[in-house]
Amino acid sequence: MNNKPKTVVIVLIIILGYVGYVLYSQIAHNKIKKDGRYTVGMVTDFKANFRNGYTVYYEFTVSDILYEQRMHVSTEYDNVIKHRFFVKYNPEYPRHNFIMLEKPALSKFWNSPSEGWKQIPR
């Protein structure tokens, strides 16, 4: 009995799934970059990954809905838990977002508008 055709089909499905995921992620990221809005999020946890990099856990609110997210980062950020940073998100699908750890938010911006800002406030 030859299992080679089955194996090839399974490998092709995995490869196509991965390519689809990468394309979807890139399109979502480009949409955020182009049409994204800004709000303020708070880091709730920061952990080293088992193999490499780190994961930052954060939460933010858009239109009175709390989003709890996480993002992989390659650099360790010291003492960021409970600190607030700007988050850029897709206004049509706020679950697509990223926290900007290089952009801390001053306390005067912590109460962001329900629909966020078009630009980072100054």
Side-chain angles (χ1 to χ4, degrees), residues 30-50:
N30 288 343
K31 175 81 172 155
I32 295 169
K33 286 284 203 181
K34 181 180 175 222
D35 301 323
R37 296 185 67 90
Y38 296 91
T39 190
V40 174
M42 183 174 66
V43 174
T44 57
D45 204 357
F46 192 90
K47 296 180 179 177
N49 293 332
F50 177 68

Side-chain angles (χ1 to χ4, degrees), residues 3-81:
N3 285 332
K4 189 173 183 178
K6 243 185 189 180
T7 304
V8 169
V9 169
I10 291 171
V11 168
L12 282 175
I13 289 172
I14 291 170
I15 290 171
L16 288 174
Y18 179 75
V19 168
Y21 173 76
V22 169
L23 287 174
Y24 177 78
S25 296
Q26 189 62 46
I27 290 168
H29 186 75
N30 288 343
K31 175 81 172 155
I32 295 169
K33 286 284 203 181
K34 181 180 175 222
D35 301 323
R37 296 185 67 90
Y38 296 91
T39 190
V40 174
M42 183 174 66
V43 174
T44 57
D45 204 357
F46 192 90
K47 296 180 179 177
N49 293 332
F50 177 68
R51 289 187 168 199
N52 59 2
Y54 304 88
T55 301
V56 60
Y57 298 83
Y58 59 100
E59 58 186 33
F60 64 96
T61 303
V62 172
S63 299
D64 297 323
I65 298 172
L66 178 67
Y67 294 90
E68 297 177 327
Q69 302 291 151
R70 67 177 178 240
M71 184 175 82
H72 297 284
V73 294
S74 59
T75 306
E76 182 174 7
Y77 292 86
D78 292 332
N79 196 24
V80 293
I81 297 173

